[in-house]
Amino acid sequence: MPMRREAFLSHIQERGEYQTPAEAERAARVVLALLGAHLVGSVRAELAARLPETYALILLNPLQAAEPLSPERFVRATAAWIEGATEQTALWDIGAVLSTVAAAAGASLTREVLLQLPHGYDLLFGEPQPT
């Protein structure tokens, strides 16, 4: 069952220490659009099914990526898409969104998502994996 939109945004707002839901919304839209470009097949569909409809659609209709972005490039791309963001604030935004996504997905699906991503994304999700 997907997380409700209000609960999803509330978690992001709390984890990101945002002043308003609009700030959480902005971060969620950008991070999910970039993430969706890196996921394929049933993993992307299953993750989308766990998110509120608005965010599921963003994940399923992502920004186009010519190649998978390393975690560092993902942070830079996020900073470029959020007005006034720096790499430091983008890292904060990513952490707030992806840790909420991991909570909605559960441990098993989060592991499957991480298998589709370049090495190092586990830290962005707040799910450090043993090396």
Side-chain angles (χ1 to χ4, degrees):
M1 177 178 206
M3 186 182 273
R4 291 189 31 189
R5 183 179 191 279
E6 296 79 19
F8 187 74
L9 274 183
S10 177
H11 280 89
I12 293 171
Q13 185 175 353
E14 180 180 312
R15 290 174 182 189
E17 299 179 10
Y18 300 114
Q19 297 297 313
T20 66
E23 291 175 284
E25 168 92 15
R26 179 196 67 208
R29 287 180 174 278
V30 170
V31 171
L32 290 172
L34 288 167
L35 178 64
H38 291 76
L39 302 177
V40 297
S42 63
V43 170
R44 184 167 64 183
E46 193 174 334
L47 182 58
R50 308 252 178 119
L51 301 178
E53 183 179 9
T54 300
Y55 304 105
L57 292 172
I58 292 168
L59 188 75
L60 293 171
N61 297 294
L63 297 170
Q64 296 302 309
E67 63 186 47
L69 298 176
S70 68
E72 296 79 16
R73 289 183 57 211
F74 189 89
V75 170
R76 285 195 296 275
T78 301
W81 280 95
I82 298 176
E83 185 178 333
T86 65
E87 287 185 25
Q88 258 55 26
T89 62
L91 191 56
W92 187 264
D93 294 332
I94 291 165
V97 175
L98 293 185
S99 65
T100 301
V101 167
S108 178
L109 180 56
T110 298
R111 277 192 299 278
E112 289 182 50
V113 166
L114 289 171
L115 287 173
Q116 288 194 5
L117 298 170
H119 178 72
Y121 272 80
D122 55 332
L123 298 176
L124 296 180
F125 276 82
E127 301 279 328
Q129 303 296 304
T131 54

